[in-house]
Amino acid sequence: MITDFVLDDRPQVATLLNVTVIKKGDSYTPRIKLWKKDKKKAGDTPISQMMPDTGATRAVKALVDTGDVHENFWKVINFLQACAGLSTPGDLHQLVTGDEAQLAQLLTGQDRTMVLGAVRSAIGGGLTEADIRLISNRKEQLQRFERLLTDPEYFQQAESLATTRGAEAVWQAFFEENQWIFGYGLNLIACQSIDDGKLERITTGANIFGGAGKRIDAIMRSKGLISSMLFCEIKTHETELLARIPYRSGVYQASKELGGGVAQVQKTVNKAQQLISRQFLDRIYEDDGTPIDVGLSTTRPRQVVVIGSLQEFIQNGAVNPEKLSSFELYRTSIQDVEIITFDELYQRACFIVEDR
């Protein structure tokens, strides 16, 4: 905040106005000091001069503090500004001291072009209305993601409204609507759906590679001159990561669902690779056999299992180190398959949107 204003600046003396904003209850009131600074001396030294009548050096009253009379001081200022026909210099400004909610309130009802221009001036660059809509939508989807993770009633409501029953269907629908979470959230490599369609696809039997079998929750391709493939199995945030009963003291094995998800994505990729390498090296097809102009690299496709939450390892407010280490050792030992929890995916999405 700017607190010192130069009213006049001369070679040896500057006339200054200092404003201190004091919080009093729910309001802020300004305190004013008017003073002359001796520029020949270092620091904030008021000017002094020789008085001819006494021959003694003493400070001239070059500093006036209105702190004790600030209310009457501003009454005079307000009175002068309210006088009809009296022109007072300067424009109206507003002191903003709150958070983004208060800033949003200030902008409510303003002309969209003016608001957009103000934002551009503040942050620079060619920000467009489409950019603002995109950012706003992603922030809303982040809030929805968080509620699905943390609010059981909200999740049950979403499950009851889903066209396909089951907790996995809720997440499937959410990620279908928000493919950008996968697009930047997995190793920060930009990805998209295979052909701008759904994430869930049939990959063996009658399939996208042959035209008309085994479903995968998400099959995507990276963005580039030649696309690499990504296969993903999506479980739920409540799916257990580890078996409840330790295999040995301090040793926990992967849960049936986690082990099954890893095996499932591995088997799907294996079958798809065999089919592609045998029949169609680098092209995919619509269900009716129409070829799609997408070049694919099928060398070691990336494989991802989204499952569970690290919250599983929190007990009595602290992390259970035996469970966490068992999980980390397991997932880092699985070759070619990335295991990511829903809360980790949420944090990556936050990084994309909020850079935090």
Side-chain angles (χ1 to χ4, degrees):
M1 180 180 293
I2 298 173
T3 59
D4 290 291
F5 300 86
V6 179
L7 305 182
D8 187 31
D9 192 13
R10 300 189 180 188
Q12 297 182 353
V13 178
T15 303
L16 305 176
L17 182 148
N18 174 267
V19 181
T20 302
V21 179
I22 305 295
K23 185 176 183 181
K24 195 172 183 180
D26 294 330
S27 63
Y28 294 83
T29 58
R31 308 291 197 272
I32 300 296
K33 284 195 302 185
L34 297 167
W35 64 294
K36 290 184 177 292
K37 177 181 178 179
D38 190 344
K39 296 175 64 176
K40 295 178 295 181
K41 298 182 179 180
D44 294 336
T45 304
I47 186 126
S48 62
Q49 68 180 52
M50 185 72 69
M51 300 301 293
D53 56 337
T54 63
T57 300
R58 63 187 179 88
V60 176
K61 289 184 178 180
L63 187 151
V64 180
D65 189 345
T66 63
D68 294 334
V69 294
H70 75 279
E71 293 182 353
N72 287 334
F73 175 86
W74 284 104
K75 283 181 181 179
V76 174
I77 297 297
N78 291 334
F79 169 76
L80 294 174
Q81 289 180 326
C83 288
L86 182 63
S87 176
T88 55
D91 299 321
L92 181 63
H93 298 278
Q94 184 161 356
L95 180 66
V96 179
T97 60
D99 56 17
E100 60 185 49
Q102 287 180 284
L103 181 59
Q105 185 177 6
L106 290 174
L107 296 176
T108 299
Q110 300 292 336
D111 177 72
R112 291 176 63 87
T113 303
M114 184 277 294
V115 173
L116 186 59
V119 174
R120 282 176 179 155
S121 299
I123 68 175
L127 188 68
T128 66
E129 287 197 48
D131 295 327
I132 294 176
R133 286 195 299 269
L134 179 64
I135 295 170
S136 175
N137 178 66
R138 289 189 175 183
K139 284 182 176 291
E140 291 176 2
Q141 294 304 316
L142 268 184
Q143 295 173 357
R144 184 180 165 202
F145 196 166
E146 184 178 25
R147 288 196 67 184
L148 288 172
L149 279 175
T150 60
D151 188 339
E153 292 185 3
Y154 182 78
F155 190 90
Q156 290 175 3
Q157 182 182 14
E159 189 173 359
S160 66
L161 296 175
T163 55
T164 305
R165 294 292 176 258
E168 290 187 17
V170 174
W171 288 115
Q172 183 73 44
F174 176 76
F175 291 132
E176 289 285 359
E177 295 175 21
N178 297 280
Q179 296 185 20
W180 60 272
I181 294 176
F182 284 99
Y184 296 97
L186 302 172
N187 291 341
L188 297 181
I189 297 176
C191 296
Q192 63 184 26
S193 61
I194 281 287
D195 54 358
D196 296 326
K198 293 188 60 172
L199 295 180
E200 184 184 28
R201 304 304 292 262
I202 305 172
T203 58
T204 57
N207 57 78
I208 64 170
F209 304 108
K214 171 75 175 76
R215 288 188 177 271
I216 188 74
D217 290 330
I219 177 170
M220 308 181 76
R221 63 184 178 92
S222 63
K223 289 185 176 180
L225 185 61
I226 297 178
S227 297
S228 299
M229 298 182 67
L230 180 149
F231 291 76
C232 182
E233 281 295 329
I234 303 170
K235 301 303 181 182
T236 82
H237 62 299
E238 295 181 337
T239 304
E240 292 183 338
L241 299 170
L242 300 177
R244 296 186 180 184
I245 301 175
Y247 178 72
R248 292 285 189 271
S249 178
V251 179
Y252 293 83
Q253 60 188 355
S255 68
K256 180 180 178 180
E257 284 295 323
L258 176 54
V262 170
Q264 186 176 8
V265 72
Q266 288 176 324
K267 190 66 173 179
T268 301
V269 168
N270 177 257
K271 286 187 175 182
Q273 279 187 294
Q274 291 177 4
L275 177 64
I276 297 168
S277 61
R278 189 170 62 244
Q279 299 178 19
F280 311 101
L281 296 179
D282 62 354
R283 188 172 295 278
I284 61 175
Y285 296 79
E286 297 282 6
D287 291 344
D288 62 0
T290 303
I292 297 173
D293 187 20
V294 174
L296 289 176
S297 169
T298 59
T299 304
R300 298 183 64 158
R302 290 178 55 217
Q303 305 163 54
V304 179
V305 175
V306 182
I307 185 172
S309 169
L310 296 180
Q311 187 68 29
E312 178 180 329
F313 306 135
I314 306 296
Q315 295 179 317
N316 298 325
V319 175
N320 184 316
E322 301 294 349
K323 288 187 173 183
L324 179 60
S325 61
S326 293
F327 172 68
E328 292 293 357
L329 288 169
Y330 174 77
R331 73 168 168 179
T332 55
S333 69
I334 303 299
Q335 189 176 9
D336 291 335
V337 179
E338 178 185 2
I339 299 171
I340 182 171
T341 62
F342 279 83
D343 53 312
E344 289 173 324
L345 189 58
Y346 168 74
Q347 290 300 328
R348 293 188 187 188
C350 288
F351 176 78
I352 298 169
V353 176
E354 301 176 357
D355 191 21
R356 70 183 188 184

